[in-house]
Amino acid sequence: MNPYYPLVSARARHACEYCRAPEIVFNLSFEVEHITPQSRGGESTENNLALSCRSCNLYKSDYVSAVDELTQQEADLFNPRRDLWDEHFSIVEETGEIKGLTVSGRATVLRLRINSTAQVEARKQWLRLGLISQR
Ligand SMILES: [Zn+2]
């Protein structure tokens, strides 16, 4: 296990810092993710690490930016250590989708496939069970 896991997981309150997936309903610990990838010089330090579900980490891969469909602007991906989730995203409880509120939020939703069918179907269940919320 990553030596930073206990700190990173507790700091994130055991939820994916990108899509808010609740770690408690998974049968495997979430991943300690490098916000700036190691391949781009990102270090294994507390302020460059985030808790991520498998889906978000898989699609984030080595990316640090993506294009916002709305403005066609290249934007930095959401940075959980620098940015506030509520300023960049909101959960649409009726559909289970996460809406990007900023260029960075929208670019992150797209790059990390936060509204993939599997993600949205799972999120609806987490919402139903009260395991995920806006805060
Ligand atoms: Zn996630």
Side-chain angles (χ1 to χ4, degrees):
M1 181 179 283
N2 185 303
Y4 286 95
Y5 173 80
L7 178 148
V8 170
S9 181
R11 181 175 64 188
R13 291 190 262 168
H14 307 283
C16 175
E17 295 194 73
Y18 297 99
C19 75
R20 295 268 166 114
E23 190 176 26
I24 193 169
V25 292
F26 287 76
N27 59 3
L28 192 67
S29 296
F30 278 1
E31 301 173 10
V32 175
E33 186 263 332
H34 287 78
I35 297 165
T36 298
Q38 291 179 293
S39 63
R40 294 176 184 256
E43 297 180 347
S44 293
T45 53
E46 290 177 27
N47 66 359
N48 189 46
L49 298 173
L51 192 69
S52 178
C53 72
R54 176 85 278 257
S55 180
C56 289
N57 201 12
L58 179 70
Y59 294 118
K60 182 171 177 285
S61 186
D62 285 347
Y63 292 105
V64 293
S65 66
V67 173
D68 165 29
E69 264 185 335
L70 190 66
T71 61
Q72 296 301 311
Q73 264 185 274
E74 181 87 11
D76 288 345
L77 296 179
F78 173 74
N79 178 332
R81 297 285 70 77
R82 182 191 64 204
D83 305 326
L84 294 175
W85 197 92
D86 297 332
E87 290 181 2
H88 293 273
F89 309 100
S90 71
I91 298 171
V92 183
E93 305 225 359
E94 300 75 34
T95 64
E97 291 184 328
I98 288 178
K99 184 178 181 195
L101 305 175
T102 61
V103 287
S104 176
R106 288 187 295 268
T108 302
V109 165
L110 215 59
R111 174 67 78 202
L112 276 53
R113 304 189 197 181
I114 281 175
N115 289 327
S116 70
T117 302
Q119 274 268 49
V120 168
E121 290 305 313
R123 194 171 302 122
K124 284 181 190 171
Q125 300 307 314
W126 304 330
L127 285 164
R128 188 175 60 78
L129 295 168
L131 295 171
I132 185 174
S133 65
Q134 296 281 4
R135 298 218 158 252

